[in-house]
Each structure stands twice: as structure tokens, then as C-alpha cells.
Amino acid sequence: MQASRRKFIKGLSAASALVATQGLARPLGFNYIPNLKKVSPNDKIRIATIGMGIQGNYDTRAALRNPDVELVAVADLYQGRLDTAKTAFNNPDLFTTRDFREVLARPDVDAVLVVTPDHWHDHITIAALKAGKHVYCEKPMVHHINEGKAVIDAWKKSGKTMQVGSQRISSAAFQEAKRMVQAGDIGAINYIESNNDRFNAIGAWNYSIPPDASAKTLDWDRFLGDAPKRAFEPKRFFRWRNYRDYGTGVAGDLFVHLITGVHFVTNSLGPNRIFSSGNLAYWKDGRDVPDVMTSIMDYPKTDQHEAFQMVLRVNFANAGKIQNVTRIIGNEGQIEFSEDNLILTKKKLPLAPGYGNYDSFFTFTPEVQQEFVRKYDAQYPPESRSAEPVKEVRFESPKDDDAHAKHFGDFFKNVREGSQGTIEDPVFGFRAAAPVLACNESYFDNKVVYWDPVTMTKTTGAAPAKKTGTPVKKTVATAKSSAKKS
């Protein structure tokens, strides 16, 4: 796989020097020239979308809900989507191509939306930044952990604006949750749980396949890219999320939204220990990714928050009542929220612990009970024995709250200002992507993955703490048992 990837990248780099734009021949040895044109506050921002599938269409429409934004080009590997784009966006003269490099060579393109299968994210993003384009890249930013720093490096060197597309953090509910956590409304966080369950075929990525899908109507070889070569199989093209060669499974599609939201709300840099388990329970249709997965992550203490544990779950075979929420739990309350609403419940313990009922107090002799009460009364005055009343605060997002358009709005604002400081820049995006990719690594390799969220690198994990007590004499049997466990 690594040899295939190196060969592919080498070929991609060589091909980058031979961009052929429709109607314009390029001399041999032509290289991308960065688009250094500044976008003034009064100019339209001209965008191009690379990947006109489901999310590509949704992203493009969300982008166009912002003022002074114009779609000038689209790229996709399936001809039907290129033809549909001209009617869907009411522009029969819209530039369309199967080769994304033709889009990058256009001087009228200010920014590109990279909405391709995951295994193309890093390649196209880096090429676009080198071509002088601003980039909006869908989540997860990369397909493999070792690709993240190259994207970050290309972004920093380009000076261009880049936004990663996990748009929920731009919703009013997520922003209110962040305000509450930072205000200390729930005390010190100790546990977070979040789930995203489904039980329908389309939700499980079994998207419709057009009857005209063939090696003539779509570019199968270009789709494969650096993935293993195989014969044409339309199911893999149109349902790519089901396969590890092109997608990142439930973790990369859904966990990344949950982790992005938690990082945004808590100001966390990420976990340092990740473990996953799960199985393929229902959708046994040839896919090689699980449809049920649970991941446990340990977040270390920082100057922004106490140490906490996070548990994420996706179940595509949940035939019960589905309630997809995120719960952030602290020692003084909890926040339960979705994209559109939020409930804050404040609940503090009294200072006095109390006694009686299911307690050891009744097992004392009467004399000891009297002595206990005397000392208790001296230590805890009456005002310390009752808790504050439970308080519940509900927040509903405004009906016109458009998180998707607002996420693009932040991107375009920074493009106009010449800033790289978006709400979800590549460093933030990689710190959200890396843990979900580690979830997959843990699941498929059946191991704990250790991660340094500050340096953004994998580690071998902390050395085990020394145990106290009488050492156990290791026999041959216990040595073999230890070896198996390790």
C-alpha cells in the first residue's frame, strides 16, 4: 500500500506540470502559478466545487447562501453529475471537468471546495494550496494520520485561508454550549458521551447507483488514485464510505462531528489514549467497515479543563428509539445538546454528606451514634446540609439559524480579510481527525492507540505505574500469560 501510494504521489506531481485547460494548450513543463490576486471586501468570491456528490451539492448550496459568492466551475468523475450541475445551478455555461487540475489552473477560481472521497482529500487540498487557491475541505481532513502534517505545512506556506467542514460547531446551540462550559456552569468536566445512531439503508450509506454507471460514464482509474487497483465496481464508487480503501467508516463520517464539537466547546486539544470495539452486525453487504462501534478516549488535564473520559457510539442497526445527543457532564451539572437545542441542568451537592438510610450509621451502637451526631452537628451547620434547587435552562436555536451557511460565512470572511484564522483551520481539523483515525486503527488492529494532542504525533504510551506490595514470583505459566496479554 505504501509503495502504491508513493508511486501515485510521484505520478500526481509529474502530472501537475502538465495541466491541460479546455481550449488552451499548455507547454511541456508548465507548473501551477499561485493565484496571488487579493480578494477585496467588495469583490465576489468565485468558487469551484471538486466532487459533486451528495455533500458536494449540499456544501455548494450552503456556500451560495452567502452574499457575493459565485460558482464558476465544478469537477466530478461521473458525467451525470457534471450534466446535472449545469441545470441544478441554473448555468448552462458552467465549466465542468473530470480533471480537478483543470479547475486549479483557472485564474477566475478564488477558492475550491474539496468534497471528494476521503482518500483524495490531502492530494487535492495540497495541490489547491500550491495553486494559490483558498480551500474548504470536508471532514475528515485526511484519510490517514500520517497525512495531516503535510496538509498543515502546505497551508502555512501558502498563506491562504483554509476551513475544514464540520459545520455543526457554527450552530447557535454549540456556541451556547461553549459559552456555558467556559463560564463554569457545570463545574469541572469529568465525562462526555455522544452517539449518532441510524437504522435505514440510505443512512447506512447504501446510496442509489445510477443505471448508466459504467467505465465510460465515470473515470474509475482516477477515482482509485493511490488505493489498490481493482476492476470497475460501481458500488465502490457510489458507496465509497463502505470501504476502507476510500473512506474512514463511522468514525471518519460521524465521530469526527462529535469530536469536533467537543473540542470546540471545551477548548480541548484532544485525547491521549483511544480504544475502540464493535462489529459488523447488520449491513453485511460486502462492506469492510463496522456498522456498530464504540470508542473510549481519555483526555488529559490541561489549563483549559480537568481530565475527562469520552465515550462515542455509532449504531447503524438501532431498531429502538433513537435519541442522538451529546452530554457533557461536570461536578455541578450537565449540558445535553444537539445541533438545534440545548438543556443545561445545574445540580450541586450540599457540603454536608448526610447520614442515615442506606448508610453504616444504623450499624453503630446507640452510644457511638450519639457521639457521631454530636461531632457531625459541630462540623456541619444547618445551612451546609441542603443543596441548591436543581436548575434547568433550555436553549432553542433561532429558526433561521443556518449552521452550514454560517460555517462558510466564517471561511469567506477570512478569505476577504486575508486571514488564516478560521473557526476550524487545518490544525484544529487535524486534531479532530487524528483521534477518529486512531479509533479505526484501534478497532482493526485490536489495540490501544496513544496520541500526543500537543505535538500531534502517535506515542508508545506512558510507562505503567509501579505497584506496591509483595511482588509475585513469576513462574513459567505466569510469564506465558503476561506475554499473551502484551
Side-chain angles (χ1 to χ4, degrees), residues 6 25-26 114 147 269 304 371 376 379 389 404 445 460:
R6 285 194 296 270
R26 296 288 185 183
V114 180
E147 298 162 358
L269 298 182
Q304 294 290 322
E371 177 64 12
Y376 186 91
Q379 184 176 358
H404 207 164
D445 295 347
T460 56

Side-chain angles (χ1 to χ4, degrees), residues 137-337:
C137 179
E138 262 301 329
K139 53 75 189 169
M141 187 180 81
V142 291
H143 190 217
H144 301 104
I145 288 180
N146 61 8
E147 298 162 358
K149 289 191 174 179
V151 173
I152 292 171
D153 184 58
W155 164 66
K156 289 181 176 178
K157 288 180 179 178
S158 73
K160 293 297 176 179
T161 304
M162 182 171 167
Q163 176 94 300
V164 179
S166 185
Q167 68 273 3
R168 298 180 188 181
I169 61 173
S170 290
S171 71
F174 273 71
Q175 292 173 14
E176 179 65 8
K178 182 182 181 73
R179 186 197 67 76
M180 289 177 169
V181 168
Q182 301 309 314
D185 287 350
I186 61 171
I189 298 169
N190 54 61
Y191 180 79
I192 297 176
E193 62 182 10
S194 191
N195 60 280
N196 199 321
D197 292 351
R198 298 175 177 176
F199 194 51
N200 61 82
I202 293 177
W205 309 322
N206 281 345
Y207 305 132
S208 301
I209 298 174
D212 70 341
S214 71
K216 291 183 178 180
T217 59
L218 63 86
D219 192 334
W220 175 250
D221 289 336
R222 191 183 298 274
F223 164 76
L224 290 177
D226 63 350
K229 304 305 177 187
R230 61 173 62 245
F232 174 68
E233 190 175 344
K235 188 165 71 169
R236 283 179 169 260
F237 182 91
F238 290 97
R239 299 176 180 175
W240 57 268
R241 289 193 185 279
N242 291 332
Y243 306 97
R244 296 175 66 191
D245 288 342
Y246 330 111
T248 47
V250 295
D253 186 31
L254 299 172
F255 281 3
V256 70
H257 280 305
L258 309 178
I259 291 175
T260 298
V262 166
H263 287 189
F264 174 72
V265 169
T266 65
N267 287 339
S268 178
L269 298 182
N272 59 3
R273 184 176 184 273
I274 302 109
F275 180 75
S276 299
S277 65
N279 65 306
L280 185 58
Y282 185 90
W283 300 101
K284 300 177 182 180
D285 49 12
R287 69 182 64 198
D288 56 19
V289 292
D291 55 11
V292 176
M293 180 185 275
T294 299
S295 294
I296 302 173
M297 302 182 182
D298 293 334
Y299 280 71
K301 180 179 180 179
T302 71
D303 58 359
Q304 294 290 322
H305 57 73
E306 294 295 323
F308 64 84
Q309 184 184 74
M310 181 160 72
V311 177
L312 304 178
R313 186 194 78 219
V314 166
N315 184 354
F316 280 178
N318 185 352
K321 186 176 182 180
I322 295 176
Q323 292 180 314
N324 292 330
V325 295
T326 296
R327 296 172 66 229
I328 302 179
I329 300 170
N331 57 13
E332 295 183 8
Q334 77 163 28
I335 296 173
E336 181 177 292
F337 63 99

Side-chain angles (χ1 to χ4, degrees), residues 145 251 271 273-276 295 297 433-444 447-451 458:
I145 288 180
R273 184 176 184 273
I274 302 109
F275 180 75
S276 299
S295 294
M297 302 182 182
V436 304
L437 300 176
C439 287
N440 283 335
E441 184 176 329
S442 172
Y443 172 82
F444 287 109
K447 68 179 184 181
V448 174
V449 176
Y450 295 94
W451 175 251
K458 285 199 296 184

Side-chain angles (χ1 to χ4, degrees), residues 79-119:
Q79 188 61 41
R81 288 175 176 164
L82 298 178
D83 296 340
T84 300
K86 294 185 176 185
T87 56
F89 295 97
N90 196 29
N91 183 0
D93 298 321
L94 181 66
F95 177 80
T96 62
T97 178
R98 291 189 186 184
D99 189 342
F100 74 89
R101 295 169 298 176
E102 293 187 352
V103 168
L104 301 187
R106 292 181 65 90
D108 62 342
V109 173
D110 301 310
V112 295
L113 281 54
V114 180
V115 204
T116 63
D118 299 343
H119 73 306

Side-chain angles (χ1 to χ4, degrees), residues 112-134:
V112 295
L113 281 54
V114 180
V115 204
T116 63
D118 299 343
H119 73 306
W120 270 102
H121 282 184
D122 66 322
H123 302 304
I124 298 177
T125 292
I126 291 173
L129 291 168
K130 288 181 177 179
K133 311 301 184 185
H134 305 283

Side-chain angles (χ1 to χ4, degrees), residues 23-35:
L24 182 63
R26 296 288 185 183
L28 195 63
F30 168 78
N31 289 307
Y32 288 149
I33 300 175
N35 177 10

Side-chain angles (χ1 to χ4, degrees), residues 358-468:
Y358 195 84
D359 174 48
S360 58
F361 178 79
F362 78 93
T363 67
F364 305 164
T365 64
E367 295 78 13
V368 173
Q369 288 183 4
Q370 290 176 6
E371 177 64 12
F372 178 90
V373 172
R374 185 185 65 77
K375 289 184 176 181
Y376 186 91
D377 289 344
Q379 184 176 358
Y380 299 108
E383 63 271 16
S384 69
R385 302 180 189 184
S386 59
E388 296 177 7
V390 175
K391 181 181 179 182
E392 186 174 282
V393 177
R394 291 179 176 266
F395 174 85
E396 293 285 341
S397 296
K399 291 184 178 180
D400 61 349
D401 186 51
D402 187 342
H404 207 164
K406 284 165 61 179
H407 205 59
F408 273 102
D410 178 73
F411 172 59
F412 295 135
K413 172 180 175 291
N414 283 279
V415 167
R416 294 184 187 283
E417 294 175 352
S419 167
Q420 290 189 306
T422 62
I423 194 174
E424 193 177 357
D425 67 25
V427 174
F428 186 109
F430 183 48
R431 282 193 166 120
V436 304
L437 300 176
C439 287
N440 283 335
E441 184 176 329
S442 172
Y443 172 82
F444 287 109
D445 295 347
N446 191 27
K447 68 179 184 181
V448 174
V449 176
Y450 295 94
W451 175 251
D452 185 330
V454 178
T455 63
M456 297 179 286
T457 54
K458 285 199 296 184
T459 69
T460 56
K466 292 182 179 180
K467 296 181 179 180
T468 59

